[in-house]
């Protein structure tokens, strides 16, 4: 896998968040966020507060149904919380914006368009058509799909489609990337490649990255810090830094194993004792 | 692995498949002509029916050749094509937006469901007396009847297409800054173009069927009028020729829409 991100900032040591002065990423703050879908079910998320530094990569780890997707949708502005707020660089998020882009489990490409047309959507929607000619080849190169511009989106494999979705998200130069289990439908090998590449790209661009996952390995490979979520109602049960160099994140070494075991321990303690049960 | 093997192919030998299709199509046409000829022979030999003998292939086809040579075929078809075209255009102009609205807005769908299903089941020709009273011109009345026949397939196909749209497509568009104009023209309409065209194709089938009886009334032009006129003047060769013209034009209109559907269809059959 030869991915050469455009290095606008130094990648820095593996575990340190990129310093804000050199980062293109936004500061994300979630303040007292509570959400209830149906009153009879009680709140899905309860009084969640945390912040993410510019350029930091944070994983939200939690069991299925604990409200991870709900939380990420609210950070993106695609839906609004019952109470509490999300701040991007101190400004309240009230609507979705190409400055903080969400990626989903399915690539959700438009099948009637070519790869390049899909990647250009954000620029087209925001009246930046003049950037398309230079920016789209740039992001396709970044995700290692330089030769695929004119292919139909449907002709690509699942992993390649998810790369196109990544290019589509990156084209408008977002400050925050929000990933909702984007690799869970891929085979283990493709998933590893994408995990590495996404971390590398986000680092290279200095993006703030939040990734939702229920895979401990994914959290250890990708994140500088892991927020473990409790279920019923969802709240942050633990905030764990991952101290690994980029080289150690590929797994198969003691440092990785140590972090993995430590996180797994915390995660299973939390996951097995749901908040509302005795 | 040769380079050719990388190119996706629909059938192992597409050339052969196409040739076989053409041969079978010709076979079908031949069969129809034979049945027609047998029918003509039977009519000619029947003492009660022999007056209708010019309905057989030979007199019909020679009259058809005359109609084509003199250009009369164009004079009789154009008014009909105009009425069907206008009726379909109106049906699309109303059916597509309403279909999109009821496909997107659940409450609208629930409110309109029973009335629309009820209206849809009423034969368009039942509106004939009302149409004749409501419109000053025969053309207006006929276009109205065609509209009534054509609007339902378009409306329901559009609504069904809309409900099959992946909600994530809309979420992606919203996230990337799409305004309502983009939503409609970059996402929704391309996504359901095939559904709309399929609706129009169904509508055309119904409209073309309704056209002829609608043109029996009042008007003095068009294919339906030509049929009626030929019957009144006992000119059965012309009657047969007109029937052939109606069939041929209908076939080609349908074929054109089928090709358009093929062109706009973004679903790869082998994906
Ligand atoms: N639109 C909705 N209406 C009502 N309830 C919802 C809605 N969306 C989610 N929920 C409920 O909220 C809870 C959290 O859902 P959410 O999708 O956020 O979980 P998740 O952590 O992302 O799970 P997974 O790992 O399976 O994706 C679930 O109990 C779910 O049933
Ligand atoms: Mg989820």
């Amino acid at each position: 896998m030869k991915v050469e991100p455009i290095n606008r900032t130094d990648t820095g040591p593996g575990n340190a968040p990129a310093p804000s002065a050199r980062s293109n990423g936004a500061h994300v703050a979630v303040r007292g966020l509570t959400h209830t879908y149906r009153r009879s079910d009680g709140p899905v998320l309860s009084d969640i507060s945390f912040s993410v530094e510019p350029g930091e990569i944070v994983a939200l780890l939690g069991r299925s149904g604990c409200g991870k997707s709900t939380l990420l949708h609210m950070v993106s502005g695609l839906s609004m919380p019952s109470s509490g707020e999300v701040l991007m660089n101190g400004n309240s998020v009230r609507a979705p914006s190409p400055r903080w882009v969400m990626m989903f489990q399915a690539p959700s490409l438009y099948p009637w368009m070519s790869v390049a047309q899909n990647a250009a959507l954000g620029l087209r929607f925001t009246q930046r058509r003049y950037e398309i000619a230079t920016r789209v080849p740039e992001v396709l190169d970044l995700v290692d799909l330089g030769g695929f511009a004119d292919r139909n989106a449907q002709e690509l494999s699942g992993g390649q489609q998810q790369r196109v979705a990544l290019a589509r998200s990156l084209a408008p130069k977002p400050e925050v990337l929000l990933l909702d289990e984007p690799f869970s439908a891929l085979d283990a090998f493709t998933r590893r490649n994408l995990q590495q590449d996404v971390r590398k790209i986000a680092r290279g661009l200095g993006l703030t990255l939040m990734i939702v996952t229920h895979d401990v390995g994914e959290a250890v490979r990708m994140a500088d810090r892991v927020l473990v979520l409790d279920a019923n109602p969802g709240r942050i049960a633990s905030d764990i830094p991952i101290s690994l160099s980029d080289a150690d994140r590929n797994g198969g070494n003691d440092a990785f194993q140590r972090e993995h075991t430590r996180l797994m321990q915390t995660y299973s303690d939390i996951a097995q004792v749901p908040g509302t049960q005795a | 692995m040769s380079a050719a093997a990388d190119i996706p192919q629909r059938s192992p030998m597409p050339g052969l498949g196409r040739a076989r299709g053409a041969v079978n199509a010709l076979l079908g046409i031949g069969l129809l002509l034979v049945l027609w000829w047998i029918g003509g022979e039977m009519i000619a030999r029947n003492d009660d029916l022999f007056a209708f003998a010019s309905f057989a292939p030979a007199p019909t086809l020679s009259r058809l050749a005359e109609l084509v040579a003199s250009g009369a075929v164009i004079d009789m078809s154009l008014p009909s094509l105009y009425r069907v075209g206008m009726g379909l255009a109106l049906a699309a102009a109303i059916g597509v937006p309403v279909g999109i609205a009821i496909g997107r807005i659940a409450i609208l769908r629930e409110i309109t469901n029973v009335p629309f299903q009820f209206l849809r089941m009423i034969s368009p020709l039942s509106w004939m007396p009302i149409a004749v009273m409501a419109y000053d011109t025969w053309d207006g009345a006929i276009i109205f009847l065609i509209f009534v026949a054509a609007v339902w397939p378009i409306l329901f196909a559009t609504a069904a297409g809309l409900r099959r749209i992946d909600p994530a497509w809309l979420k992606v568009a919203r996230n990337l800054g799409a305004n309502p104009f983009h939503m409609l023209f970059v996402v929704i309409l391309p996504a359901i173009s095939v559904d709309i065209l399929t609706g129009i194709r169904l509508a055309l089938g119904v409209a073309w069927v309704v056209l002829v009886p609608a043109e029996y009334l009042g008007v003095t032009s068009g294919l339906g009028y030509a049929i009626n006129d030929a019957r009144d003047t006992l000119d059965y060769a012309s009657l047969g020729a007109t029937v052939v013209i109606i069939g041929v034009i209908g076939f080609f209109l349908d074929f054109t829409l089928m090709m358009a559907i093929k062109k706009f269809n973004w679903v790869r059959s082998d994906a």
Side-chain angles (χ1 to χ4, degrees), chain A residues 37-38 44 63-70 181 214:
Chain A
Y37 281 113
R38 284 196 217 91
V44 171
R63 272 185 8 174
S64 183
C66 75
K68 304 181 297 292
S69 297
T70 305
E181 302 184 35
H214 46 226

Side-chain angles (χ1 to χ4, degrees), chain A residues 74-130:
Chain A
M74 277 152 197
V75 173
S76 76
L78 281 167
S79 32
M80 286 289 132
S82 309
S83 66
E85 61 177 347
V86 176
L87 302 166
M88 294 283 182
N89 287 333
N91 300 314
S92 186
V93 170
R94 304 198 185 286
S97 156
R99 290 167 61 197
W100 32 90
V101 181
M102 184 134 166
M103 265 178 73
F104 309 96
Q105 183 171 348
S108 304
L109 304 177
Y110 297 160
W112 57 91
M113 289 184 179
S114 71
V115 165
Q117 286 171 325
N118 270 289
L121 279 171
L123 298 171
R124 185 171 172 189
F125 290 153
T126 51
Q127 324 300 333
R128 287 151 72 188
R129 279 170 172 280
Y130 54 90

